[in-house]
Structure formats: C-alpha cells, structure tokens
Amino acid sequence: MPLEQEVRGMLIGGFTIVMGIAILTTLFLWLKNKNSNFGYFWTILHFLFFSIAIYFFIKAISNNYIHPMASEENSLQIGIAGVVWAFSMICLLMGIASFSKRRKDG
C-alpha cells in the first residue's frame, strides 16, 4: 500500500512511545501493588501480543512489492495480525477479570 515516506516511521515511533509508557506504568503498578499478580501478568501479555500484531500490520501496509502474489502476501500479514490481536484481547479480558474478582474476607 503506498504511503508517504514519513508515515511508517511516525507509526512505529508513536506506537513504541505509547506502548513503552503503558508497559512501564503497568510494571511500576505491579511492583507497587503486589496483591493481584495475575491481572498484571495478563495485562503485560496483552501488550506483548498487541505489539506483535502491530508489527505484522505495519509490515502489511508498508509492503511495496510489485509481484503477482503481493496481495496474497499482504492478506496473510493482515490475517496474522488479526489472529494475534484476538489473542491480545483475550489476555486483556483475562486481566480485567482477574482485577475484578472480589476478595473473600473473613
């Protein structure tokens, strides 16, 4: 897919900054609140899977191959990105479910 020359770099840079802040914040909160380790684990796993999905998506949209199988290659990359994104969303839901569990006191 044709894109302006700077777009790919801006996508990668912006995503890396935002995802880095999100991961560092989650790790900081995990170290500060050691109560619900499982929720933080699932959240970090979500961020990792989501980053992999974005990698495949950016690879697909910045693919400038001119050959007969280019559309199939791009479709495969987008399909992989979609499957990995689905796994990331499952991890996010598991994290939310883990955080929302109520403790049974006394």
mmCIF file of all heavy atoms in Angstrom, residues 8 11-12 15-16 19 46-63 65 73-74 76-82 84-85 88:
data_model
loop_
_atom_site.group_PDB
_atom_site.id
_atom_site.type_symbol
_atom_site.label_atom_id
_atom_site.label_comp_id
_atom_site.label_asym_id
_atom_site.label_seq_id
_atom_site.Cartn_x
_atom_site.Cartn_y
_atom_site.Cartn_z
ATOM 1 N N ARG A 8 5.433 5.588 7.968
ATOM 2 C CA ARG A 8 5.846 4.346 8.633
ATOM 3 C C ARG A 8 6.687 4.646 9.866
ATOM 4 O O ARG A 8 6.468 4.083 10.941
ATOM 5 C CB ARG A 8 6.616 3.460 7.664
ATOM 6 C CG ARG A 8 6.998 2.139 8.274
ATOM 7 C CD ARG A 8 7.562 1.207 7.218
ATOM 8 N NE ARG A 8 7.846 -0.068 7.808
ATOM 9 C CZ ARG A 8 9.023 -0.675 7.743
ATOM 10 N NH1 ARG A 8 10.006 -0.130 7.070
ATOM 11 N NH2 ARG A 8 9.207 -1.836 8.314
ATOM 12 N N LEU A 11 4.443 6.052 12.603
ATOM 13 C CA LEU A 11 3.635 4.996 13.213
ATOM 14 C C LEU A 11 4.456 4.180 14.200
ATOM 15 O O LEU A 11 4.028 3.927 15.331
ATOM 16 C CB LEU A 11 3.072 4.059 12.142
ATOM 17 C CG LEU A 11 1.861 4.524 11.360
ATOM 18 C CD1 LEU A 11 1.579 3.567 10.212
ATOM 19 C CD2 LEU A 11 0.659 4.640 12.263
ATOM 20 N N ILE A 12 5.634 3.770 13.775
ATOM 21 C CA ILE A 12 6.491 2.955 14.635
ATOM 22 C C ILE A 12 6.938 3.751 15.856
ATOM 23 O O ILE A 12 6.873 3.260 16.990
ATOM 24 C CB ILE A 12 7.700 2.419 13.840
ATOM 25 C CG1 ILE A 12 7.227 1.409 12.793
ATOM 26 C CG2 ILE A 12 8.731 1.794 14.765
ATOM 27 C CD1 ILE A 12 8.286 1.011 11.790
ATOM 28 N N PHE A 15 3.837 4.485 18.217
ATOM 29 C CA PHE A 15 3.397 3.266 18.881
ATOM 30 C C PHE A 15 4.398 2.841 19.943
ATOM 31 O O PHE A 15 4.014 2.456 21.048
ATOM 32 C CB PHE A 15 3.185 2.133 17.872
ATOM 33 C CG PHE A 15 2.782 0.849 18.516
ATOM 34 C CD1 PHE A 15 1.472 0.653 18.907
ATOM 35 C CD2 PHE A 15 3.707 -0.141 18.773
ATOM 36 C CE1 PHE A 15 1.085 -0.522 19.528
ATOM 37 C CE2 PHE A 15 3.338 -1.313 19.391
ATOM 38 C CZ PHE A 15 2.022 -1.503 19.768
ATOM 39 N N THR A 16 5.679 2.911 19.620
ATOM 40 C CA THR A 16 6.717 2.495 20.563
ATOM 41 C C THR A 16 6.702 3.358 21.823
ATOM 42 O O THR A 16 6.804 2.837 22.942
ATOM 43 C CB THR A 16 8.106 2.561 19.899
ATOM 44 O OG1 THR A 16 8.091 1.718 18.740
ATOM 45 C CG2 THR A 16 9.204 2.110 20.835
ATOM 46 N N MET A 19 3.337 2.525 23.774
ATOM 47 C CA MET A 19 3.378 1.174 24.342
ATOM 48 C C MET A 19 4.447 1.085 25.428
ATOM 49 O O MET A 19 4.244 0.406 26.440
ATOM 50 C CB MET A 19 3.635 0.134 23.247
ATOM 51 C CG MET A 19 3.465 -1.282 23.716
ATOM 52 S SD MET A 19 1.833 -1.684 24.430
ATOM 53 C CE MET A 19 0.789 -1.584 23.015
ATOM 54 N N HIS A 46 -1.000 -9.025 27.196
ATOM 55 C CA HIS A 46 -1.809 -8.315 26.200
ATOM 56 C C HIS A 46 -0.945 -7.315 25.436
ATOM 57 O O HIS A 46 -0.994 -7.257 24.204
ATOM 58 C CB HIS A 46 -2.978 -7.600 26.879
ATOM 59 C CG HIS A 46 -3.545 -6.478 26.070
ATOM 60 N ND1 HIS A 46 -4.264 -6.667 24.914
ATOM 61 C CD2 HIS A 46 -3.469 -5.135 26.241
ATOM 62 C CE1 HIS A 46 -4.616 -5.497 24.421
ATOM 63 N NE2 HIS A 46 -4.148 -4.553 25.208
ATOM 64 N N PHE A 47 -0.156 -6.519 26.151
ATOM 65 C CA PHE A 47 0.702 -5.530 25.496
ATOM 66 C C PHE A 47 1.693 -6.198 24.545
ATOM 67 O O PHE A 47 1.938 -5.694 23.443
ATOM 68 C CB PHE A 47 1.475 -4.703 26.526
ATOM 69 C CG PHE A 47 0.617 -3.738 27.310
ATOM 70 C CD1 PHE A 47 0.900 -3.480 28.635
ATOM 71 C CD2 PHE A 47 -0.456 -3.081 26.731
ATOM 72 C CE1 PHE A 47 0.134 -2.594 29.368
ATOM 73 C CE2 PHE A 47 -1.234 -2.194 27.452
ATOM 74 C CZ PHE A 47 -0.931 -1.947 28.779
ATOM 75 N N LEU A 48 2.253 -7.322 24.938
ATOM 76 C CA LEU A 48 3.216 -8.018 24.089
ATOM 77 C C LEU A 48 2.553 -8.572 22.830
ATOM 78 O O LEU A 48 3.058 -8.379 21.715
ATOM 79 C CB LEU A 48 3.911 -9.127 24.871
ATOM 80 C CG LEU A 48 4.807 -8.653 26.017
ATOM 81 C CD1 LEU A 48 5.380 -9.839 26.785
ATOM 82 C CD2 LEU A 48 5.929 -7.768 25.498
ATOM 83 N N PHE A 49 1.411 -9.241 22.982
ATOM 84 C CA PHE A 49 0.699 -9.756 21.812
ATOM 85 C C PHE A 49 0.228 -8.616 20.906
ATOM 86 O O PHE A 49 0.291 -8.714 19.678
ATOM 87 C CB PHE A 49 -0.502 -10.618 22.218
ATOM 88 C CG PHE A 49 -0.167 -12.039 22.521
ATOM 89 C CD1 PHE A 49 -0.577 -12.624 23.702
ATOM 90 C CD2 PHE A 49 0.552 -12.813 21.627
ATOM 91 C CE1 PHE A 49 -0.283 -13.950 23.988
ATOM 92 C CE2 PHE A 49 0.846 -14.134 21.897
ATOM 93 C CZ PHE A 49 0.434 -14.706 23.077
ATOM 94 N N PHE A 50 -0.236 -7.535 21.502
ATOM 95 C CA PHE A 50 -0.699 -6.396 20.710
ATOM 96 C C PHE A 50 0.455 -5.789 19.910
ATOM 97 O O PHE A 50 0.286 -5.421 18.754
ATOM 98 C CB PHE A 50 -1.347 -5.349 21.623
ATOM 99 C CG PHE A 50 -2.035 -4.251 20.863
ATOM 100 C CD1 PHE A 50 -3.199 -4.509 20.157
ATOM 101 C CD2 PHE A 50 -1.526 -2.976 20.863
ATOM 102 C CE1 PHE A 50 -3.826 -3.503 19.454
ATOM 103 C CE2 PHE A 50 -2.152 -1.961 20.168
ATOM 104 C CZ PHE A 50 -3.307 -2.224 19.455
ATOM 105 N N SER A 51 1.640 -5.715 20.527
ATOM 106 C CA SER A 51 2.807 -5.196 19.824
ATOM 107 C C SER A 51 3.181 -6.084 18.639
ATOM 108 O O SER A 51 3.547 -5.588 17.567
ATOM 109 C CB SER A 51 3.999 -5.081 20.779
ATOM 110 O OG SER A 51 3.722 -4.155 21.797
ATOM 111 N N ILE A 52 3.079 -7.388 18.815
ATOM 112 C CA ILE A 52 3.358 -8.319 17.712
ATOM 113 C C ILE A 52 2.334 -8.134 16.596
ATOM 114 O O ILE A 52 2.686 -8.126 15.405
ATOM 115 C CB ILE A 52 3.382 -9.775 18.225
ATOM 116 C CG1 ILE A 52 4.564 -9.980 19.167
ATOM 117 C CG2 ILE A 52 3.450 -10.760 17.071
ATOM 118 C CD1 ILE A 52 4.522 -11.287 19.951
ATOM 119 N N ALA A 53 1.070 -7.945 16.963
ATOM 120 C CA ALA A 53 0.023 -7.722 15.964
ATOM 121 C C ALA A 53 0.292 -6.447 15.172
ATOM 122 O O ALA A 53 0.144 -6.420 13.940
ATOM 123 C CB ALA A 53 -1.349 -7.653 16.633
ATOM 124 N N ILE A 54 0.703 -5.397 15.860
ATOM 125 C CA ILE A 54 1.017 -4.144 15.182
ATOM 126 C C ILE A 54 2.202 -4.323 14.244
ATOM 127 O O ILE A 54 2.235 -3.758 13.144
ATOM 128 C CB ILE A 54 1.273 -3.013 16.208
ATOM 129 C CG1 ILE A 54 -0.022 -2.684 16.942
ATOM 130 C CG2 ILE A 54 1.863 -1.777 15.557
ATOM 131 C CD1 ILE A 54 -1.136 -2.147 16.068
ATOM 132 N N TYR A 55 3.195 -5.120 14.657
ATOM 133 C CA TYR A 55 4.343 -5.398 13.787
ATOM 134 C C TYR A 55 3.876 -6.004 12.460
ATOM 135 O O TYR A 55 4.280 -5.547 11.383
ATOM 136 C CB TYR A 55 5.318 -6.347 14.494
ATOM 137 C CG TYR A 55 6.332 -6.954 13.559
ATOM 138 C CD1 TYR A 55 7.439 -6.212 13.138
ATOM 139 C CD2 TYR A 55 6.177 -8.244 13.077
ATOM 140 C CE1 TYR A 55 8.362 -6.758 12.261
ATOM 141 C CE2 TYR A 55 7.092 -8.797 12.199
ATOM 142 C CZ TYR A 55 8.189 -8.049 11.793
ATOM 143 O OH TYR A 55 9.090 -8.591 10.918
ATOM 144 N N PHE A 56 3.010 -7.023 12.526
ATOM 145 C CA PHE A 56 2.523 -7.660 11.301
ATOM 146 C C PHE A 56 1.659 -6.713 10.477
ATOM 147 O O PHE A 56 1.710 -6.714 9.245
ATOM 148 C CB PHE A 56 1.760 -8.946 11.612
ATOM 149 C CG PHE A 56 2.647 -10.104 11.928
ATOM 150 C CD1 PHE A 56 2.731 -10.600 13.221
ATOM 151 C CD2 PHE A 56 3.410 -10.703 10.945
ATOM 152 C CE1 PHE A 56 3.553 -11.664 13.525
ATOM 153 C CE2 PHE A 56 4.240 -11.767 11.229
ATOM 154 C CZ PHE A 56 4.313 -12.249 12.528
ATOM 155 N N PHE A 57 0.877 -5.872 11.150
ATOM 156 C CA PHE A 57 0.028 -4.924 10.429
ATOM 157 C C PHE A 57 0.866 -3.880 9.701
ATOM 158 O O PHE A 57 0.628 -3.586 8.527
ATOM 159 C CB PHE A 57 -0.961 -4.253 11.385
ATOM 160 C CG PHE A 57 -1.891 -3.306 10.694
ATOM 161 C CD1 PHE A 57 -2.918 -3.797 9.886
ATOM 162 C CD2 PHE A 57 -1.745 -1.942 10.817
ATOM 163 C CE1 PHE A 57 -3.767 -2.936 9.231
ATOM 164 C CE2 PHE A 57 -2.594 -1.075 10.163
ATOM 165 C CZ PHE A 57 -3.612 -1.570 9.371
ATOM 166 N N ILE A 58 1.860 -3.317 10.394
ATOM 167 C CA ILE A 58 2.723 -2.322 9.749
ATOM 168 C C ILE A 58 3.515 -2.962 8.613
ATOM 169 O O ILE A 58 3.722 -2.343 7.561
ATOM 170 C CB ILE A 58 3.647 -1.641 10.784
ATOM 171 C CG1 ILE A 58 2.807 -0.716 11.676
ATOM 172 C CG2 ILE A 58 4.764 -0.859 10.109
ATOM 173 C CD1 ILE A 58 3.562 -0.068 12.805
ATOM 174 N N LYS A 59 3.933 -4.200 8.803
ATOM 175 C CA LYS A 59 4.637 -4.925 7.737
ATOM 176 C C LYS A 59 3.726 -5.069 6.514
ATOM 177 O O LYS A 59 4.181 -4.940 5.377
ATOM 178 C CB LYS A 59 5.071 -6.290 8.267
ATOM 179 C CG LYS A 59 5.968 -7.060 7.360
ATOM 180 C CD LYS A 59 6.439 -8.335 8.051
ATOM 181 C CE LYS A 59 7.164 -9.236 7.086
ATOM 182 N NZ LYS A 59 7.551 -10.498 7.688
ATOM 183 N N ALA A 60 2.441 -5.310 6.737
ATOM 184 C CA ALA A 60 1.497 -5.481 5.626
ATOM 185 C C ALA A 60 1.225 -4.165 4.907
ATOM 186 O O ALA A 60 1.194 -4.132 3.677
ATOM 187 C CB ALA A 60 0.187 -6.072 6.128
ATOM 188 N N ILE A 61 1.029 -3.080 5.659
ATOM 189 C CA ILE A 61 0.676 -1.822 4.993
ATOM 190 C C ILE A 61 1.877 -1.134 4.362
ATOM 191 O O ILE A 61 1.711 -0.270 3.516
ATOM 192 C CB ILE A 61 -0.067 -0.850 5.931
ATOM 193 C CG1 ILE A 61 0.819 -0.373 7.070
ATOM 194 C CG2 ILE A 61 -1.357 -1.460 6.429
ATOM 195 C CD1 ILE A 61 0.217 0.759 7.872
ATOM 196 N N SER A 62 3.082 -1.507 4.773
ATOM 197 C CA SER A 62 4.260 -0.873 4.178
ATOM 198 C C SER A 62 4.923 -1.768 3.143
ATOM 199 O O SER A 62 6.004 -1.478 2.668
ATOM 200 C CB SER A 62 5.259 -0.492 5.266
ATOM 201 O OG SER A 62 5.704 -1.635 5.948
ATOM 202 N N ASN A 63 4.262 -2.854 2.769
ATOM 203 C CA ASN A 63 4.773 -3.782 1.777
ATOM 204 C C ASN A 63 4.567 -3.182 0.385
ATOM 205 O O ASN A 63 3.448 -3.010 -0.055
ATOM 206 C CB ASN A 63 4.041 -5.115 1.918
ATOM 207 C CG ASN A 63 4.640 -6.186 1.057
ATOM 208 O OD1 ASN A 63 5.589 -5.943 0.319
ATOM 209 N ND2 ASN A 63 4.085 -7.371 1.145
ATOM 210 N N TYR A 65 5.814 -4.491 -2.514
ATOM 211 C CA TYR A 65 6.234 -5.455 -3.524
ATOM 212 C C TYR A 65 5.365 -5.319 -4.758
ATOM 213 O O TYR A 65 4.166 -5.140 -4.680
ATOM 214 C CB TYR A 65 6.125 -6.883 -2.989
ATOM 215 C CG TYR A 65 7.017 -7.173 -1.831
ATOM 216 C CD1 TYR A 65 6.513 -7.746 -0.675
ATOM 217 C CD2 TYR A 65 8.374 -6.881 -1.891
ATOM 218 C CE1 TYR A 65 7.339 -8.029 0.403
ATOM 219 C CE2 TYR A 65 9.205 -7.150 -0.823
ATOM 220 C CZ TYR A 65 8.677 -7.720 0.318
ATOM 221 O OH TYR A 65 9.492 -7.987 1.372
ATOM 222 N N GLU A 73 0.256 -11.984 -0.102
ATOM 223 C CA GLU A 73 1.220 -11.785 0.984
ATOM 224 C C GLU A 73 0.714 -10.752 1.989
ATOM 225 O O GLU A 73 0.802 -10.958 3.200
ATOM 226 C CB GLU A 73 2.555 -11.335 0.381
ATOM 227 C CG GLU A 73 3.715 -11.447 1.314
ATOM 228 C CD GLU A 73 5.025 -11.223 0.589
ATOM 229 O OE1 GLU A 73 5.204 -11.741 -0.522
ATOM 230 O OE2 GLU A 73 5.859 -10.507 1.155
ATOM 231 N N ASN A 74 0.160 -9.655 1.472
ATOM 232 C CA ASN A 74 -0.405 -8.633 2.358
ATOM 233 C C ASN A 74 -1.594 -9.179 3.135
ATOM 234 O O ASN A 74 -1.760 -8.896 4.324
ATOM 235 C CB ASN A 74 -0.828 -7.407 1.557
ATOM 236 C CG ASN A 74 0.348 -6.633 1.031
ATOM 237 O OD1 ASN A 74 1.466 -6.769 1.515
ATOM 238 N ND2 ASN A 74 0.113 -5.824 0.018
ATOM 239 N N LEU A 76 -2.120 -12.268 4.017
ATOM 240 C CA LEU A 76 -1.606 -13.165 5.050
ATOM 241 C C LEU A 76 -1.091 -12.372 6.249
ATOM 242 O O LEU A 76 -1.384 -12.715 7.403
ATOM 243 C CB LEU A 76 -0.492 -14.045 4.482
ATOM 244 C CG LEU A 76 0.192 -14.967 5.486
ATOM 245 C CD1 LEU A 76 -0.800 -15.985 6.040
ATOM 246 C CD2 LEU A 76 1.389 -15.657 4.843
ATOM 247 N N GLN A 77 -0.344 -11.296 5.993
ATOM 248 C CA GLN A 77 0.181 -10.475 7.085
ATOM 249 C C GLN A 77 -0.949 -9.859 7.911
ATOM 250 O O GLN A 77 -0.893 -9.839 9.143
ATOM 251 C CB GLN A 77 1.095 -9.365 6.538
ATOM 252 C CG GLN A 77 2.338 -9.849 5.850
ATOM 253 C CD GLN A 77 3.270 -10.590 6.777
ATOM 254 O OE1 GLN A 77 3.440 -10.223 7.931
ATOM 255 N NE2 GLN A 77 3.873 -11.647 6.266
ATOM 256 N N ILE A 78 -1.980 -9.371 7.239
ATOM 257 C CA ILE A 78 -3.124 -8.788 7.957
ATOM 258 C C ILE A 78 -3.878 -9.877 8.716
ATOM 259 O O ILE A 78 -4.336 -9.655 9.846
ATOM 260 C CB ILE A 78 -4.044 -8.022 6.985
ATOM 261 C CG1 ILE A 78 -3.317 -6.765 6.491
ATOM 262 C CG2 ILE A 78 -5.361 -7.648 7.646
ATOM 263 C CD1 ILE A 78 -4.040 -6.005 5.406
ATOM 264 N N GLY A 79 -3.998 -11.061 8.142
ATOM 265 C CA GLY A 79 -4.646 -12.177 8.839
ATOM 266 C C GLY A 79 -3.893 -12.574 10.096
ATOM 267 O O GLY A 79 -4.492 -12.800 11.150
ATOM 268 N N ILE A 80 -2.573 -12.658 9.997
ATOM 269 C CA ILE A 80 -1.749 -12.973 11.178
ATOM 270 C C ILE A 80 -1.915 -11.886 12.231
ATOM 271 O O ILE A 80 -2.076 -12.184 13.418
ATOM 272 C CB ILE A 80 -0.273 -13.148 10.780
ATOM 273 C CG1 ILE A 80 -0.089 -14.401 9.926
ATOM 274 C CG2 ILE A 80 0.622 -13.214 12.018
ATOM 275 C CD1 ILE A 80 1.289 -14.530 9.297
ATOM 276 N N ALA A 81 -1.901 -10.638 11.787
ATOM 277 C CA ALA A 81 -2.091 -9.525 12.727
ATOM 278 C C ALA A 81 -3.435 -9.647 13.440
ATOM 279 O O ALA A 81 -3.529 -9.420 14.654
ATOM 280 C CB ALA A 81 -1.994 -8.186 11.997
ATOM 281 N N GLY A 82 -4.477 -10.021 12.709
ATOM 282 C CA GLY A 82 -5.806 -10.167 13.307
ATOM 283 C C GLY A 82 -5.866 -11.286 14.333
ATOM 284 O O GLY A 82 -6.465 -11.129 15.400
ATOM 285 N N VAL A 84 -3.307 -12.566 16.076
ATOM 286 C CA VAL A 84 -2.500 -12.192 17.240
ATOM 287 C C VAL A 84 -3.224 -11.116 18.054
ATOM 288 O O VAL A 84 -3.208 -11.129 19.283
ATOM 289 C CB VAL A 84 -1.086 -11.730 16.810
ATOM 290 C CG1 VAL A 84 -0.284 -11.244 17.996
ATOM 291 C CG2 VAL A 84 -0.346 -12.860 16.115
ATOM 292 N N TRP A 85 -3.911 -10.183 17.363
ATOM 293 C CA TRP A 85 -4.691 -9.162 18.067
ATOM 294 C C TRP A 85 -5.803 -9.829 18.886
ATOM 295 O O TRP A 85 -6.064 -9.415 20.027
ATOM 296 C CB TRP A 85 -5.287 -8.181 17.066
ATOM 297 C CG TRP A 85 -6.265 -7.241 17.681
ATOM 298 C CD1 TRP A 85 -5.992 -6.138 18.433
ATOM 299 C CD2 TRP A 85 -7.687 -7.350 17.628
ATOM 300 N NE1 TRP A 85 -7.163 -5.560 18.841
ATOM 301 C CE2 TRP A 85 -8.215 -6.276 18.365
ATOM 302 C CE3 TRP A 85 -8.563 -8.246 17.021
ATOM 303 C CZ2 TRP A 85 -9.586 -6.082 18.496
ATOM 304 C CZ3 TRP A 85 -9.917 -8.050 17.165
ATOM 305 C CH2 TRP A 85 -10.415 -6.970 17.897
ATOM 306 N N SER A 88 -4.394 -11.081 21.966
ATOM 307 C CA SER A 88 -4.110 -9.980 22.897
ATOM 308 C C SER A 88 -5.373 -9.529 23.614
ATOM 309 O O SER A 88 -5.344 -9.213 24.806
ATOM 310 C CB SER A 88 -3.452 -8.798 22.171
ATOM 311 O OG SER A 88 -4.393 -8.007 21.495
#
